[in-house]
Amino acid sequence: MTDPAPAAPPVRLRPEIVAMQPYRQGRPAAADAFKLSSNENPFPPHPAVVAAIAEAATSTNRYPDATALLVRERLAARHGVTADELIVGAGSVSILAQLISAAAGAGDEVVHAWRSFEAYPGLITVAGATGVPVPLTSEARHDLDAMAAVVTDRTRLVIVCTPNNPTGTAVGRDEFERFMAAVPSDLLVLLDEAYAEFVRDADAVDGDALVRRWPNLVILRTFSKAYGLAGLRVGYAIAHPAVIDAARATQIPLSVTGAAQAAVLAALDHEDELLATVATLADRREQVVAGLRAQGWPIPQSEGNFVWLATGARTAEAAERFTAAGIVARAFPPEGIRVSIGEAESVPTLLQIAGEVVLDL
Ligand SMILES: *Cc1c(COP(=O)(O)O)cnc(C)c1O
């Protein structure tokens, strides 16, 4: 079914905004279905997190701390930086938007891999800048040489997503260091590490270790995935203080709520328990990848909490079969399907349907 052409708006708007497809969320799952479409953490929040939110709710008549100082100090200590090298935002997507706006406007270019995180093209358009998507390699990995090669005088930002959403592949440490050495030292490079906690490949890049070495590097992390706080909207970035100041200048004031700040502090108090659930999910990912490969799927090595099925032209049809069996996955026709690693109970159904679908490809 094709969407009807959008009606002309009753007021004058930026044409590139009118032409945009509004963000479509992963489909709401039927009550008895497994929602494996948004890379959420299937474990419920820690009781201490729930208690902290309830406690914070009693001061909802007050504005939150505008710079989330307690959270910044806590995270800064953990990452071995100072609080002015770190910004907290209403989800890491907010900080991404802030940094794109801070770096790139009309006539400027933002380089990113494709297929990658579906939010990138829209955020670049909203900033008034031009996206330069660079195709992934045949192994569904970032092609960093090709990305460096399209950098021009107009390039203001390069986004590197590792592990890459939706293919799961991680960028290697050595190739990333070569890339940083190849691009201009005054070009901002953003390493989107939304799934960093799920990475097991010892050769994968870890932005944490590099941020002070490259003043043009910013790393982006989130509490939405590993920490299971997607509904509260908290992410953070670490970079040179001047880059952080620029992100602060483009932030919508007071957008990180007091409840969200309290919840993050409680989550960090119980980090060991939370990271144990991350280990469980990474183990489950390995089990799913092994099962799919045994069926003949050419699964790229996933370092995130999701796997990529290259269903090509049959993507929409394959996604329907998962839905009919009670698994809501994310289809990106005509390339493939991203399936999140969710509840243990979802794995047998996932493997059963995948085993049927692979025979028809
Ligand atoms: C999920 C995701 C994010 C972050 O989301 P927030 O909930 O806004 O922190 C950022 N980047 C990528 C690649 C993601 O998949």
Side-chain angles (χ1 to χ4, degrees), residues 18-113:
V18 175
M20 276 173 76
Q21 293 268 9
Y23 176 75
R24 279 171 216 260
Q25 192 165 31
R27 251 206 259 182
D32 57 348
F34 293 108
K35 183 174 184 289
L36 306 182
S37 53
S38 300
N39 296 345
E40 292 154 342
N41 191 319
F43 293 99
H46 193 283
V49 168
V50 177
I53 296 169
E55 167 67 24
T58 62
S59 45
T60 297
N61 54 313
R62 302 292 180 190
Y63 279 115
D65 171 5
T67 75
L69 181 62
L70 293 179
V71 176
R72 280 193 297 129
E73 285 177 343
R74 190 71 174 272
L75 291 172
R78 189 174 68 161
H79 289 279
V81 297
T82 62
D84 61 359
E85 290 169 284
L86 201 143
I87 185 169
V88 176
S92 58
V93 164
S94 296
I95 305 176
L96 190 61
Q98 291 159 231
L99 285 165
I100 294 171
S101 298
D108 298 332
E109 294 181 350
V110 178
V111 173
H112 60 89

Side-chain angles (χ1 to χ4, degrees), residues 91-93 117 120 161 165 192 194-195 222 224-225 233-235:
S92 58
V93 164
F117 186 32
Y120 299 152
C161 184
N165 175 2
D192 185 347
Y195 303 95
T222 179
S224 296
K225 310 285 165 50
R233 317 301 307 120
V234 188

Side-chain angles (χ1 to χ4, degrees), residues 115-166:
R115 179 160 290 270
S116 188
F117 186 32
E118 69 241 70
Y120 299 152
L123 294 175
I124 294 165
T125 302
V126 168
T130 303
V132 180
V134 176
L136 298 174
T137 68
S138 58
E139 289 166 332
R141 298 167 48 81
H142 276 54
D143 188 341
L144 291 180
D145 290 339
M147 291 174 75
V150 298
V151 168
T152 69
D153 286 353
R154 290 186 300 279
T155 313
R156 292 291 174 277
L157 175 65
V158 181
I159 304 173
V160 175
C161 184
T162 179
N164 186 48
N165 175 2

